[in-house]
Amino acid sequence: MIEMKKNTVLSGVQPSGDLHIGNYLGAIKNFVDMQNDYNCFFCIVDLHAITVKQDPKILKTNTLEVAATYIASGIDPKTSTIFNQSSVSAHAELAWIINCVTRMGWLNRMTQFKDKAGADKENASSGLFTYPNLMAADILIYKATHVPVGNDQKQHLELTRDIAQKFNRDFKCENFFPIPEPIIDKNISRIMSLKDGSQKMSKSDLSEYSRINLLDESDIIIKKIRKAKTADTLMPEKIKDILKLNEINNLLNIYSGFTGIEKQMLVEKYKGQNFSNFKSDLSDILVEQIKPITSEIKKLMQNKDYLLEILQDGQNKANEVAQKTLNDVYDLVGFIRNET
Ligand code: AQP
């Protein structure tokens, strides 16, 4: 039985590849910080992952790997509900209702679809286009009040708020769905590619050197940071000059994200120097912080039965809450439900 006394948090990560420090700083680290203050649902969004092509075998492994990463990063499965999205069918069922609430014009404005579909949008799956509706269903099925996400998901969350308001208005059920608040760490917001500071760090980037994965060994981390793009200058003295240098700003954000040291303090420390000291310190920090997570993920991946048990337990807990919301939604919409 889930205790619903606290505000509720829902968030998720796609099992679409090895998780990187963008996923960690933008999402998972915040999940860990929130778990004692909120009633938390953390899902592995496998339904979202198949909006682009996935290899079925790899998808299963990746799903377990995200569960392992949650736990290795410090999410306690006894306190938080960890499950894979497809195991709770109410997500997909509510998403259909939401498909009928959301306006085409709203979806047409979503920049992530434009980014992910690229020039070949005629060939993109319709699931990729309606992705934000499924995300809204994930959040609203638990009546989540708060959603920790990276800055890249802010627009989708604004859409969820519009959907919740329209549903409440259309079906004359004021306050049925709470209007969820995003929780975005303003200091981190978006971790960018190590090769191009104007592009988001992403699992699907073809270059391994664009990101640091949570499963990277120490020597790989050091090499990736050594090769990371910087600038043909010394470390500037002022934040306003740093903001003009995307790659430097990004490396400082990563440093600050892992240490909690304000960017201003870092600039004081490294100003006027070339980037070799800074990069060497940054690699040391990353190795020190990532290594324990990497080894715990590897250990957990050796114990698949344990991970499957966690997912089963999470599914049971999530299902209980989700089915209750879905029954109420079906009633509001006017569907007949035979009690069996
Ligand atoms: N670069 C990032 N900086 C900060 N936060 C990020 N997130 C993802 N990339 C960054 C946050 O991580 C959470 C899970 O993201 P996701 O896996 O569901 O999907 P995504 O945003 O599409 O991540 P990727 O890495 O870019 O995956 P692919 O390449 O498969 O699409 C979200 O909260 C997201 O904000």
Side-chain angles (χ1 to χ4, degrees), residues 22-41:
N23 299 127
Y24 180 75
L25 291 178
I28 299 171
K29 187 168 171 285
N30 295 337
F31 299 175
V32 177
D33 294 342
M34 303 181 84
Q35 61 183 336
N36 293 322
D37 299 327
Y38 296 84
N39 184 34
C40 291
F41 294 86

Side-chain angles (χ1 to χ4, degrees), residues 11-28 31 45 48 52 54 112 116 131 148-153 188-193 200-205:
S11 202
V13 173
Q14 293 186 74
S16 48
D18 286 338
L19 302 196
H20 50 73
I21 57 171
N23 299 127
Y24 180 75
L25 291 178
I28 299 171
F31 299 175
V45 288
H48 280 290
V52 298
Q54 302 292 336
Q112 181 173 289
K116 290 204 168 177
Y131 181 116
V149 281
N151 181 286
D152 56 313
Q153 293 295 333
I188 311 289
S189 69
R190 196 179 293 210
I191 300 299
M192 310 309 278
S193 158
K200 172 177 108 120
M201 185 177 285
S202 182
K203 299 183 207 96
S204 52
D205 193 315

Side-chain angles (χ1 to χ4, degrees), residues 35 38 45 67 85 99 104 204 207 228 232 262 288 330:
Q35 61 183 336
Y38 296 84
V45 288
Q85 184 189 27
N99 280 340
M104 288 293 286
S204 52
S207 170
D232 297 331
E262 293 272 337
E288 186 191 303
Y330 277 7

